[in-house]
Amino acid sequence: MTKVYKTSSAAETIALGEEIGRRLKGGDLIAYSGGLGAGKTTITRGISIGMGLGDEVTSPTFALVNEYRGDRLSLVHFDMYRINSADDLETTGFFDYMDEDTVLAVEWSENIAEELPEDALRIDIQRIDEDSREISITAPEGDDRFEDISY
Ligand code: ADP
Ligand code: MG
């Protein structure tokens, strides 16, 4: 099931992210697609806020992975832009981070397409113009958590 949302500012994308963040649970994996500057890091900031983990999210471009730890739920944010082999992926700790209390959010998930779980939540962000984005959320069959979000 795919639901399409539109935002007309970064603030609106953060607000949508917050609502997504409130609906996430441990074990969820978000697989982003959408080019450079689409808003993947921006929406992740909203998701972190919605999960109660604060607004300090920055791009994991250099570190490859940033962790935001909470008492109940944690967020681990990856940038797979430079990942192009199974060995590279292994070194990010990707597989070790998957657990019941952790949400994974993966930028450039296209680069690890074969390693993504079947039930990944797909978030595609398309840049319409300077300030407008079309944000498509695809959840597995029967998962209606993201179908009716007001932001
Ligand atoms: P990505 O991680 O996809 O490369 P970023 O989130 O780092 O993208 O950057 C998105 C840029 O686009 C930011 O500078 C942000 O302020 C700007 N922007 C403008 N309008 C929007 C919008 N509607 N949603 C998200 N970001 C927006
Ligand atoms: Mg980014």
Side-chain angles (χ1 to χ4, degrees), residues 6-14 33-45 59-61 77 79 107-108 125 127 129-135:
K6 294 201 165 104
T7 65
S8 48
S9 65
E12 240 181 82
T13 294
I14 290 171
S33 54
L36 197 67
K40 302 178 294 294
T41 297
T42 300
I43 199 169
T44 306
R45 186 169 303 131
S59 176
T61 303
H77 182 198
D79 187 330
E107 300 196 25
W108 300 100
I125 308 181
R127 185 184 188 281
D129 61 32
E130 177 93 25
D131 293 318
S132 305
R133 303 290 186 274
E134 195 171 271
I135 300 172

Side-chain angles (χ1 to χ4, degrees), residues 50-118:
M51 290 175 67
L53 301 175
D55 65 354
E56 303 284 282
V57 170
T58 54
S59 176
T61 303
F62 301 104
L64 301 181
V65 51
N66 290 337
E67 300 177 40
Y68 306 96
R69 294 281 162 205
D71 295 336
R72 190 178 59 85
L73 214 52
S74 297
L75 175 65
V76 181
H77 182 198
F78 295 90
D79 187 330
M80 301 303 187
Y81 189 71
R82 289 195 196 74
I83 300 299
N84 43 39
S85 73
D87 279 356
D88 280 1
L89 182 57
E90 194 82 53
T91 63
T92 67
F94 178 73
F95 299 104
D96 307 320
Y97 281 113
M98 288 185 179
D99 74 54
E100 317 248 285
D101 310 311
T102 305
V103 172
L104 305 189
V106 183
E107 300 196 25
W108 300 100
S109 69
E110 299 91 325
N111 288 356
I112 61 158
E114 312 215 317
E115 308 297 339
L116 295 173
E118 280 283 295

